[in-house]
Amino acid sequence: MKCALLALRALPALLGLANAFDFTSWSSQSFADGERIPLMVNKVASDTTQLPYAYDGLPFVCPSTNERVGLNLGEILRGDRIAGSDYVIEMGSDVECATLCTRKVKSGDVERAVSLIRNSYVVEWLLDDLPGATSYVSVDKTHKYYASGFKLGSYENDVAYLNNHVTMIVRYRPLEQDPSRKQIVAFEVYPKSIAQEYAECRRKVKDGRKLALDPTKEEMEISYSYSVYFKEDLEITYANRWDLYFLNNNDSDKIHWLAIINSLVIISLLTVVVAIIMVRTLSRDIQSYNQDSHGEDDKDLPEDISGWKLLHGDVFRPPVHKGVLASLIGAGVQMFVMGLAVLGFATLGFLSPSHRGGFLSLALFLFVFAGVFSGYFSSRLYKSFKGVKWLKNALRTSMLVPGALLGFVFVINFFSWGKSSSSAIPFGTLVALISMWLLILVPLVIVGAWIGFRRPAIESPTRIKAIPRQIPMRPWYMSLEFSVAFGGLIEFAVILIELLFILKSVWQDKTGYYYMYSFLGLTYVIEMVTVVEISIVTTYVQLCAEDYNWWWRSFFVGSGAGVWIFLYSVWYYFARLTVSGFVSGLLFFSYSLIACAVYGLCTGTVAFLGSYWFVSRIYTAVKTD
């Protein structure tokens, strides 16, 4: 109980929602001449190992005399560990060369440095919330762009060279309202490796051999130094200072538009198919069916009546494991609300990359408070299945998916702990997450379930027969496996190109930023429409085959895209990535599995609701005695 109370007190700081949506912090920050600008050190990360480490925790760098700053929940989950540094940077004051520290490093720590350099680790520093960047020129030499971070060292001919000197270029422009104050518009870092025998700082910068790391020595002495230069730059505005981090991806706009056109072609074809089913086939069938007087028994039906028209007494029969299905649909609604809201905020520009962790913090916040929708929809569906134990259903809804996700993350976290990675979730944060689940999410689900169960039950438009109708044998192409594979493949084709950019941003290019949220939001909408239409078509074909068990089938068909995404992730791992180490591979597949399961749950729910609407619509139009 004490741990829970402590966690509740820490929730506002961990969530960091005030920081993520603090519009006042978006205003221009400025510095007067001689005013010190704090340089923050964050972490080192690599595309090879997927295991970030706190920079101030590395045993071979200069220890900081400053404490780590408070982080929001999103920053903690993404592996950030930000701390103040001892670098002295004062606005307008150039530093030709200054020594930061000289550190004696033991052989084991040198070996650790060699391992990090061999795996191409990149250092992330922050100045005025801007990541220290490495500057590049485009292939056509038309523009300059930035990549976040700078190399920890270089590895040549089986020898590791440590970058122990950095030249920092701070670009600024005068504040329009007060020219005596300056705004930082760019922060470039150029690392260099310099051997130790060049003791004089100025001489070290201008010439000298590289600092080669030798793990065979019992102890090495490493001297760190830095230079700082301020340059006025009137071409970059403070509001657009992040654009340089995105310029390398400008050409991808054409690819995104091609992807959108491809998706629109697919959805147009599906829309035509659905229109034919709804307008021509169904309307004709319903009209001819209603012209004849008949009762509920099949023997009273005309001889030419077949297919879905025979299932009016069984199509709304509650499915097996109805409570589990209701809980999954409730969790899927919760995921859908969270995803739609997050993409809405991101598309409107409220989730700037300068607000680190804002995306994750907002997603978790919305996931917890969308528990009301989860409980409501789950309870209403459960009541329509003639369920009476609403509290049991509410608890199952709040425990099944959130508990499984949290438990899976908890197990994976042990491996990150074992590697001392900053991606490992601290114990206090785990306690806070569990407290959010048990003390906030669960009560909200129960409240939503109580409200939903008080509402009138969703009545079936046709009466359910006492004896289930026998289902005839189905051909192979009507099997569940084929339907899931084929339907999921179409859904997967809609998002494939956008998926490439997401995978590259998350796993392959940690020096860049994903910012195509408008394209992602549009793709998300197109995908959900595609899922609904595929679900309607497959459900109609199933009913025409006189199979009334459409509840679970529609859910699985909608979830098929998640299966294809995971299979594609497996191919991506072996074909595109150069990940080394068992733990790194385990983290990739584990988090890919979680993402695909969440996505499949969301699309499966949308497909189920689309089929539910479709089935209710056509059988409402059928007249039965």
Side-chain angles (χ1 to χ4, degrees), residues 146-220:
Y146 285 162
S148 177
F150 60 92
K151 292 183 178 181
L152 182 64
S154 59
Y155 195 77
E156 304 170 9
N157 301 322
D158 294 331
V159 179
Y161 300 96
L162 177 67
N163 290 327
N164 58 334
H165 179 88
V166 289
T167 298
M168 293 175 274
I169 296 179
V170 182
R171 300 185 182 275
Y172 67 92
R173 62 177 296 150
L175 188 65
E176 293 183 2
Q177 297 83 354
D178 185 2
S180 64
R181 302 187 66 85
K182 278 83 175 180
Q183 301 170 317
I184 297 176
V185 295
F187 176 41
E188 302 171 6
V189 181
Y190 299 92
K192 189 174 184 180
S193 178
I194 303 173
Q196 289 301 114
E197 59 264 27
Y198 297 89
E200 186 179 350
C201 194
R202 293 183 181 180
R203 187 183 175 194
K204 284 176 59 179
V205 177
K206 294 180 180 180
D207 52 24
R209 295 183 295 104
K210 295 181 178 180
L211 175 60
L213 298 178
D214 188 359
T216 60
K217 295 182 179 179
E218 293 186 2
E219 190 175 73
M220 283 190 66

Side-chain angles (χ1 to χ4, degrees), residues 333-397:
V333 171
Q334 185 179 6
M335 298 290 183
F336 178 80
V337 171
M338 176 196 71
L340 190 64
V342 170
L343 283 178
F345 280 110
T347 303
L348 293 174
F350 293 141
L351 295 177
S352 165
S354 62
H355 297 85
R356 295 172 305 276
F359 192 95
L360 278 175
S361 296
L362 178 63
L364 284 170
F365 173 82
L366 291 173
F367 175 76
V368 170
F369 285 93
V372 174
F373 298 96
S374 174
Y376 179 83
F377 281 89
S378 175
S379 183
R380 295 219 66 191
L381 184 61
Y382 179 72
K383 190 174 182 179
S384 71
F385 291 155
K386 311 304 179 184
V388 294
K389 300 179 180 179
W390 72 271
L391 183 58
K392 178 182 178 180
N393 178 72
L395 292 175
R396 178 173 51 235
T397 303

Side-chain angles (χ1 to χ4, degrees), residues 422-441:
S422 63
S423 63
I425 305 174
F427 177 75
T429 305
L430 281 175
V431 173
L433 290 174
I434 295 173
S435 300
M436 290 169 60
W437 171 38
L438 297 178
L439 303 180
I440 301 178
L441 175 59

Side-chain angles (χ1 to χ4, degrees), residues 1-19 70-74 76 361 426-436 439-440:
M1 186 64 183
K2 185 177 180 180
C3 292
L5 291 174
L6 291 174
L8 282 176
R9 293 178 181 176
L11 282 181
L14 287 171
L15 284 172
L17 292 172
N19 292 333
L71 303 175
N72 61 49
L73 184 56
I76 295 175
S361 296
F427 177 75
T429 305
L430 281 175
V431 173
L433 290 174
I434 295 173
S435 300
M436 290 169 60
L439 303 180
I440 301 178

